[in-house]
Amino acid sequence: MSRTEFFQGNIACAEGALAAGCRFFGGYPITPSTEVAEHLALKLPKVKGGCFIQMEDEIAGIAAVIGASWTGVRAMTATSGPGFSLMMENIGYAIMTETPCVIVNIQRGGPSTGQPTMAAQGDMMQCRFGSHGDSSIIALCPASVQECFELTVKAFNLADQFRTPVFLMADEAIGHMRERISIPDSVPYTGRKPAEKDTLPFKPDEDLIPGFAPFGSGHHVPVTGLTHDWRGYPATTNPDLHAELVSRLYHKIEDKRNGIADYEIENREASVVFICYGAPARTVAQVLHDQKHDGKDDLGCLRLRIVWPFPEALLEQFPHASVFIVPELNLGMISREIQRHTAVPVRSVSKIGGELHTPRELLQVAEEYR
Amino acid sequence: MTRDDWYRHDRLPHIYCSGCGNGSIINCVLEAVSDIGWNIDETVFISGIGCSSRAPGYIQTDSLHTTHGRAIAFATGVKLANPDLHIVIFTGDGDLGAIGGNHFIHACRRNIDLTVICINNYIYGMTGGQGSPLTPYGKKSTTTPYGACEMPFDLCNLAVAAGANYVSRWTSYHVTELTKAVTAGLLTEGFSFIEVISQCPTSYGRRNSLREVSDQILYLKNNAVLHQRWKRMQEKGEDLSSDQFVVGEFIRQSRPSMGVSR
Amino acid sequence: MRHEVRFSGFGGQGIILSAVILGRAAVLYDNKNAVQTQVYGPEARGGASMSAVIIDDEDILFPKVINPNIFVIMSQEGFLKYGAGAPGNAVMLLDSGLVHDRPSCRYYEIPASREAKDRLGKIIVANIVMLGSLVAATGIITKEALEAGILSSVPKGTEDLNIRAMKLGFDLIMEGKGEP
């Protein structure tokens, strides 16, 4: 069973968190993500074990989320550009300490205060590389209100499964628009792998991921952002140990990227192929729909619901591709990532300023390659 | 359980310099915790960055050694998500008074049920003795080589003004009083703040004419003015000398608090 | 058939709520698809606020309004900013007491604010009057769906007032007021 609603993307994201069993939100209001916090402020106190707290800034927001996660609960924060920048150091801490958490970024125009009420995808590299040091993370990009719900649920599952921060990289257009959403009675659930008794708290299993022992469970886990051994003890000057730890944190995600990949493919035989994620995917869908309506089905599309880790193997799915057209609400971020994985020419169609590409704009680019 | 049962023995010896005050202070805190009879499985030590923040690593509980200045923000999440856990924070004058200042005053305002032990050695010890917001006026550090030209914070006054339920200050010399104060702080619902002034012979004492560890201990002993005496001095219109500081309990109250286990 | 409806007026008239009610009614009570968007900038606070709804029987892919064919305009500033360029084949409903100019497309003059104040004693429901007139004039959703959409959106205790406002909007069209 399910119920139909007419929700904003931000509300759908909050509802997805509740459905996934999120019981802690710590954050700081910032446009255009604030509705996520407001909705959880309304709902979390009414859920058993639920806690909402508005912290003094975004640094404290993500810190509280990481702290809450160590008690074993699912925890999240939501923010936008400036707040996202403030969170970067503690996001690195979550990566290093293998703390599951979900960070929602409703992207707006930057740099700096930029365009608080307009859509952008300018934080796609920041979520991947924003915190210092080598690492890997997982980032999901919804293209509809329905996906704001579904991908938030998925973000919690991936965070728990991989013991890592997971980003829901939405944008103002998707976050603020209202449309039909179907909310199911139950959602898929993959929880944290529990630590076995008497195992070292940071000793990985074969999947490179250690079992999780929440605070209060008697495991006496020493958690530190310093380079640490399997016991969790600092070992900051041991080159081999640092290399082993950081490589494992990287590979536990990157080695699974084909399994993590979440995407839609249209027309593998196409020679002109769009690659898109987030709001621009809606424009691409309109172009393909209109062209098909006119009897032209020579265009193809790869839509990524998960952008990081980047699923480069998918680029092989279009054997006849003569061009990859990549519309983004930035000056060409993921297009460069695509470029380094393929010999097919990549055409970046960047648009900044806050508005979506129109179908006509994208069709014009496609026409150049027909 | 005795105090020594709380130590993580396989982590010892510690990294502190000889003559450092941190050891006695950790002893006092663990003495208080074991006297109260808290369950080791339900107690969490949390810290930021710095010498004092290394303390939780030597304690046999769940612990969170976090980023610089943010210990209280992390602890807020732990406590609100599981109010049954007892939480003690180790921090220092730089970690709490500078980079973590905003989290500190907001935790006092919220009056969240945490106990914060701030070890004030007047400088950033771990990184070689830079000036902090608590370096006394005129005193030398590597970043105040001509003497600090800024006025320092009084963290206890700050905590009282911001709404903490329990605030006191002692020194590494006053171990009996300190243990009692920590016990009182642990037992007080809401935010408890205990500042402990401590010697750092390596990075502070030797730059400020307190070469021997004993010089600095005597300095703490001789310049500590009891809160009650300070009140009498004020009535007579007397002032503290530039080296004197007030010790004792500044407030114990029951403002509404959050994160208390029910 | 894709309909693109653009609402504009000044802050406080309930322009955003009107669009949300229309979209919700279409989706929940008329089994259509709808996407509602709005202008969020600070200029939307005091100046001209704008919200748009796309209604379609099919899936709505591109979510932004490109060529609005229906306009609901409730202030002169809103007209100048969001209504003046309406194409010839569009239809516009305007609050005739508040909008002084007239468009070059087909339009209905709805004295919504005045009638809401005179007949219902509450100028605050002028937006609901406009919604009633919009649905009566264009049939983009059913009247029943609109009623259900209003009832599920307005604060408790104001249902009766709002339904009377909606019906007043129907009547203003039936009475032939504002025929082009």
Side-chain angles (χ1 to χ4, degrees):
Chain A
M1 279 297 290
S2 65
R3 69 178 209 270
T4 303
E5 297 283 1
F6 186 66
F7 275 165
Q8 250 189 355
N10 284 347
I11 304 297
C13 170
E15 285 286 330
L18 291 165
C22 173
R23 292 297 174 264
F24 187 92
F25 180 96
Y28 188 82
I30 181 168
T31 304
S33 75
T34 303
E35 294 85 359
V36 180
E38 288 172 339
H39 195 65
L40 290 169
L42 190 69
K43 299 279 182 172
L44 271 176
K46 302 199 168 190
V47 180
K48 188 173 185 298
C51 176
F52 170 91
I53 184 161
Q54 180 171 325
M55 295 299 286
E56 50 273 18
D57 56 32
E58 288 89 347
I59 298 172
I62 181 68
V65 163
I66 294 167
S69 180
W70 271 101
T71 71
V73 304
R74 286 187 156 185
M76 79 181 288
T77 188
T79 190
S80 189
F84 198 55
S85 292
L86 285 178
M87 289 183 184
M88 282 301 144
E89 184 193 8
N90 282 342
I91 286 170
Y93 181 85
I95 292 169
M96 192 62 147
T97 58
E98 303 185 69
T99 310
C101 55
V102 171
I103 298 139
V104 175
N105 180 354
I106 310 297
Q107 295 171 86
R108 67 190 229 186
S112 190
T113 316
Q115 294 180 292
T117 60
M118 303 294 274
Q121 296 178 306
D123 307 346
M124 293 308 298
M125 289 313 216
Q126 191 183 15
C127 82
R128 175 65 187 80
F129 296 107
S131 198
H132 55 280
D134 283 298
S135 62
S136 182
I137 48 83
I138 299 173
L140 303 84
C141 291
S144 66
V145 170
Q146 185 71 39
E147 284 187 350
C148 284
F149 179 92
E150 290 169 1
L151 294 188
T152 301
V153 171
K154 186 161 188 165
F156 277 101
N157 287 338
L158 289 168
D160 276 357
Q161 192 183 341
F162 288 92
R163 281 191 65 173
T164 188
V166 174
F167 299 88
L168 188 84
M169 297 297 288
D171 55 71
E172 189 275 342
I174 301 296
H176 269 166
M177 73 188 204
R178 289 179 176 84
E179 65 182 347
R180 175 193 295 276
I181 171 177
S182 172
I183 297 185
D185 287 344
S186 65
V187 297
Y189 181 88
T190 315
R192 298 175 198 177
K193 177 176 65 184
E196 282 174 35
K197 207 173 175 331
D198 298 328
T199 53
L200 297 176
F202 294 95
K203 180 173 187 285
D205 295 328
E206 268 182 23
D207 60 2
L208 304 182
I209 301 160
F212 184 85
F215 283 1
S217 64
H219 280 77
H220 302 167
V221 185
V223 181
T224 179
L226 291 168
T227 294
H228 48 272
D229 61 20
W230 288 352
R231 298 171 297 181
Y233 293 180
T236 58
T237 53
N238 181 332
D240 294 340
L241 198 140
H242 180 81
E244 184 193 310
L245 171 62
V246 174
S247 301
R248 177 174 68 76
L249 297 180
Y250 177 84
H251 285 291
K252 74 175 180 180
I253 295 167
E254 289 294 327
D255 292 0
K256 308 279 172 49
R257 60 192 180 282
N258 291 335
I260 294 171
D262 187 346
Y263 56 94
E264 272 177 359
I265 283 182
E266 200 160 329
N267 194 4
R268 285 168 208 267
E269 305 306 315
S271 62
V272 178
V273 177
F274 286 99
I275 301 181
C276 55
Y277 58 93
R282 299 290 289 253
T283 314
V284 172
Q286 187 75 55
V287 171
L288 264 65
H289 171 271
D290 294 350
Q291 288 293 292
K292 213 178 265 178
H293 190 261
D294 292 348
K296 298 174 190 164
D297 55 2
D298 58 330
L299 301 180
C301 174
L302 167 62
R303 177 167 81 86
L304 300 175
R305 277 191 292 248
I306 291 184
V307 172
W308 302 116
F310 187 77
E312 73 254 28
L314 295 175
L315 302 176
E316 309 293 322
Q317 299 279 324
F318 298 90
H320 309 296
S322 62
V323 64
F324 289 135
I325 301 174
V326 188
E328 297 180 85
L329 301 178
N330 55 47
L331 291 178
M333 290 188 173
I334 301 304
S335 66
R336 283 198 287 267
E337 178 68 15
I338 296 167
Q339 219 155 20
R340 75 188 189 98
H341 294 296
T342 183
V344 175
V346 175
R347 170 73 181 269
S348 167
V349 188
S350 57
K351 184 161 184 171
I352 57 172
E355 293 181 331
L356 305 187
H357 304 80
T358 64
R360 181 192 301 236
E361 285 168 353
L362 292 192
L363 181 60
Q364 274 171 356
V365 176
E367 295 285 6
E368 290 176 32
Y369 298 94
R370 270 182 160 156
Chain B
M1 277 178 66
T2 66
R3 181 190 75 195
D4 285 351
D5 295 328
W6 287 74
Y7 275 103
R8 197 180 275 273
H9 292 280
D10 65 345
R11 274 278 276 140
L12 298 173
H14 54 68
I15 59 165
Y16 300 131
C17 308
S18 61
C20 174
N22 287 4
S24 355
I25 296 166
I26 299 170
N27 268 340
C28 293
V29 171
L30 293 184
E31 191 84 51
V33 169
S34 73
D35 277 357
I36 291 174
W38 277 358
N39 184 336
I40 198 164
D41 290 348
E42 292 167 357
T43 306
V44 181
F45 285 85
I46 299 179
S47 61
I49 294 294
C51 289
S52 52
S53 290
R54 287 299 189 102
Y58 303 115
I59 300 171
Q60 183 67 37
T61 62
D62 291 317
S63 62
L64 208 52
H65 175 229
T66 71
T67 50
H68 195 22
R70 319 300 174 195
I72 290 176
F74 281 86
T76 299
V78 176
K79 185 63 178 170
L80 292 180
N82 186 353
D84 291 338
L85 296 174
H86 305 294
I87 296 176
V88 183
I89 293 165
F90 276 102
T91 180
D93 47 307
D95 195 51
L96 186 86
I99 189 167
N102 200 35
H103 309 306
F104 173 49
I105 57 172
H106 282 278
C108 294
R109 172 182 66 78
R110 292 186 184 106
N111 210 10
I112 182 163
D113 192 24
L114 307 169
T115 299
V116 173
I117 315 293
C118 177
I119 302 179
N120 172 15
N121 59 7
Y122 296 137
I123 38 87
Y124 291 83
M126 175 82 72
T127 50
Q130 296 76 30
S132 89
L134 274 85
T135 305
Y137 191 83
K139 300 295 184 185
K140 287 182 180 162
S141 72
T142 62
T143 53
T144 58
Y146 309 109
C149 57
E150 301 174 10
M151 287 300 289
F153 259 140
D154 182 326
L155 292 178
C156 289
N157 280 349
L158 197 57
V160 170
N165 261 359
Y166 180 84
V167 177
S168 68
R169 177 189 291 124
W170 292 101
T171 78
S172 52
Y173 167 79
H174 300 89
V175 288
T176 311
E177 294 87 345
L178 173 60
T179 307
K180 282 185 188 160
V182 173
T183 306
L186 299 175
L187 293 174
T188 303
E189 287 190 356
F191 194 83
S192 300
F193 178 69
I194 296 114
E195 177 185 341
V196 194
I197 303 178
S198 178
Q199 73 275 18
C200 176
T202 306
S203 291
Y204 182 81
R206 69 189 171 94
R207 290 198 179 87
N208 290 285
S209 312
L210 299 165
R211 278 200 173 271
E212 299 297 321
V213 176
S214 52
D215 293 344
Q216 222 177 333
I217 303 281
L218 284 172
Y219 176 91
L220 296 177
K221 173 176 182 271
N222 295 335
N223 286 299
V225 176
L226 262 179
H227 190 237
Q228 291 83 340
R229 189 181 142 214
W230 165 229
K231 275 189 174 165
R232 289 197 299 275
M233 285 171 68
Q234 281 176 309
E235 282 162 14
K236 287 189 247 169
E238 296 172 15
D239 217 342
L240 294 174
S241 77
S242 64
D243 285 317
Q244 284 180 316
F245 53 87
V246 182
V247 295
E249 184 175 300
F250 296 92
I251 202 160
R252 194 193 296 223
Q253 61 179 353
S254 46
R255 248 177 107 236
S257 53
M258 68 188 295
V260 178
S261 175
R262 300 291 172 206
Chain C
M1 172 77 187
R2 179 173 171 127
H3 287 289
E4 298 190 345
V5 188
R6 178 185 276 177
F7 294 80
S8 184
F10 52 78
Q13 279 181 317
I15 292 298
I16 309 290
L17 180 63
S18 299
V20 174
I21 289 174
L22 181 65
R24 179 181 291 146
V27 165
L28 299 186
Y29 308 110
D30 228 0
N31 203 27
K32 289 177 154 62
N33 290 303
V35 174
Q36 180 266 341
T37 54
Q38 67 207 55
V39 170
Y40 271 92
E43 68 279 8
R45 303 266 182 242
S49 75
M50 192 278 272
S51 184
V53 181
I54 300 165
I55 297 179
D56 202 332
D57 296 317
E58 292 180 49
D59 286 344
I60 296 168
L61 302 172
F62 186 67
K64 299 279 183 172
V65 163
I66 305 175
N67 297 309
N69 60 335
I70 300 170
F71 292 77
V72 179
I73 307 290
M74 294 185 67
S75 75
Q76 176 64 17
E77 197 182 340
F79 178 87
L80 293 174
K81 197 162 178 191
Y82 295 109
N89 59 354
V91 56
M92 184 179 295
L93 291 95
L94 44 83
D95 190 322
S96 49
L98 300 176
V99 182
H100 313 308
D101 293 344
R102 294 295 177 261
S104 51
C105 67
R106 195 158 63 92
Y107 64 92
Y108 295 85
E109 296 183 333
I110 313 292
S113 295
R114 198 188 71 218
E115 295 282 322
K117 193 178 170 195
D118 291 352
R119 292 210 217 171
L120 303 173
K122 297 270 185 194
I123 198 167
I124 190 81
V125 292
N127 62 332
I128 306 295
V129 176
M130 291 298 280
L131 267 182
S133 294
L134 166 71
V135 168
T138 64
I140 47 170
I141 61 169
T142 64
K143 290 179 175 177
E144 293 74 22
L146 178 63
E147 180 167 345
I150 290 170
L151 287 175
S152 69
S153 304
V154 299
K156 281 206 163 53
T158 67
E159 293 92 341
D160 181 53
L161 173 67
N162 279 289
I163 294 306
R164 283 193 291 140
M166 176 194 75
K167 287 181 175 158
L168 176 57
F170 295 162
D171 293 345
L172 291 175
I173 294 291
M174 304 283 263
E175 287 165 19
K177 287 199 182 169
E179 273 301 325

